[in-house]
Amino acid sequence: MGNIVRMAKYDRAANVANAVTSLQLLNQDLKWHRLDDGVMGGSSETLQVCTAIDGFLNFQGTLNTNGGGFTSIRAPIPTLSDDVSAIRLRFRGDGKTYKVLLTNGQGFKSPSWQIDLPTKASKSSQEIVLPLNLFRPSFGPRTVSEKDLAKYKLIPSEMKEIGFMLSLKLSDGTSNPEETFGTGIFDFSLLLESIDLVEN
């Protein structure tokens, strides 16, 4: 019926070793591991479910804003063409605003490129195209200021990892409103059906 991975404490090595295989990009299986605020002492927890029947990835779990504030899943990706101009997603949401992430895998030394992913609380599928030129750079919790944006450029072929995050902060650094985030301890669920690339 699918693989379920549940971890109460943050352990990156264990999380990567227990990665969930689901979805494809450029005909390569994506292997997802979790990265939660436990890396900074937080209390969030992610339950990942890979449904073997249809291959969807259910990013779901519990987020605790009392001492924490984000939860995410990440997967290594094959090398992208520099002709890639956007990412097309098909998903079913819960009314919360998530973020889509792209990184070169070098941690806080390089920016994480982020864009907001608003969702509707519905059992029906949604589809959205996210232009790469609208992704914003950030270093950990610090978003690059408007005046410094021109110093950074997202180069598709340098991206090594894709991710999805639910966070206290939106991609521009402002607060994720309570109605699209939550308060206290709450559950979340984002069912990812497909990830595709759009080229120029």
Side-chain angles (χ1 to χ4, degrees):
M1 295 298 293
N3 302 317
I4 298 179
V5 176
R6 189 181 185 95
M7 290 159 280
K9 295 183 179 179
Y10 182 77
D11 184 335
R12 184 180 180 91
N15 292 345
V16 172
N18 290 287
V20 174
T21 301
S22 184
L23 306 180
Q24 288 190 333
L25 189 65
L26 296 177
N27 297 315
Q28 177 177 302
D29 290 336
L30 298 178
K31 300 180 183 297
W32 301 89
H33 65 275
R34 78 175 184 95
L35 176 61
D36 295 338
D37 56 21
V39 71
M40 296 186 294
S43 306
S44 298
E45 180 179 9
T46 303
L47 173 67
Q48 296 177 341
V49 181
C50 175
T51 307
I53 295 175
D54 49 26
F56 297 162
L57 178 71
N58 196 359
F59 171 35
Q60 68 176 40
T62 301
L63 200 149
N64 185 351
T65 59
N66 300 313
F70 80 88
T71 181
S72 72
I73 52 174
R74 316 289 177 99
I77 57 174
T79 301
L80 306 182
S81 164
D82 283 330
D83 289 331
V84 172
S85 60
I87 295 175
R88 180 186 293 111
L89 301 175
R90 189 171 178 84
F91 59 92
R92 295 176 220 166
D94 57 2
K96 301 186 186 305
T97 297
Y98 294 81
K99 293 191 288 189
V100 181
L101 317 173
L102 289 172
T103 75
N104 66 5
Q106 296 183 9
F108 291 157
K109 295 180 180 179
S110 300
S112 167
W113 294 88
Q114 308 180 359
I115 193 170
D116 296 332
L117 177 65
T119 74
K120 299 177 182 178
S122 172
K123 293 182 179 180
S124 298
S125 298
Q126 297 173 246
E127 188 171 298
I128 191 171
V129 175
L130 303 171
L132 295 191
N133 63 0
L134 296 184
F135 279 65
R136 294 180 60 107
S138 70
F139 291 83
R142 183 177 63 84
T143 302
V144 174
S145 65
E146 291 287 343
K147 66 181 180 65
D148 290 331
L149 285 179
K151 298 178 181 179
Y152 302 92
K153 182 179 180 181
L154 193 165
I155 300 175
S157 61
E158 294 183 356
M159 298 298 103
K160 305 299 182 185
E161 189 176 70
I162 190 171
F164 294 87
M165 174 183 283
L166 180 61
S167 171
L168 280 166
K169 299 294 185 180
L170 298 174
S171 60
D172 64 358
T174 60
S175 295
N176 196 347
E178 185 175 315
E179 58 269 22
T180 59
F181 179 61
T183 185
I185 301 173
F186 58 89
D187 295 331
F188 64 91
S189 178
L190 176 65
L191 183 69
L192 297 159
E193 299 181 1
S194 65
I195 304 173
D196 295 299
L197 303 175
V198 178
E199 295 192 0
N200 292 323

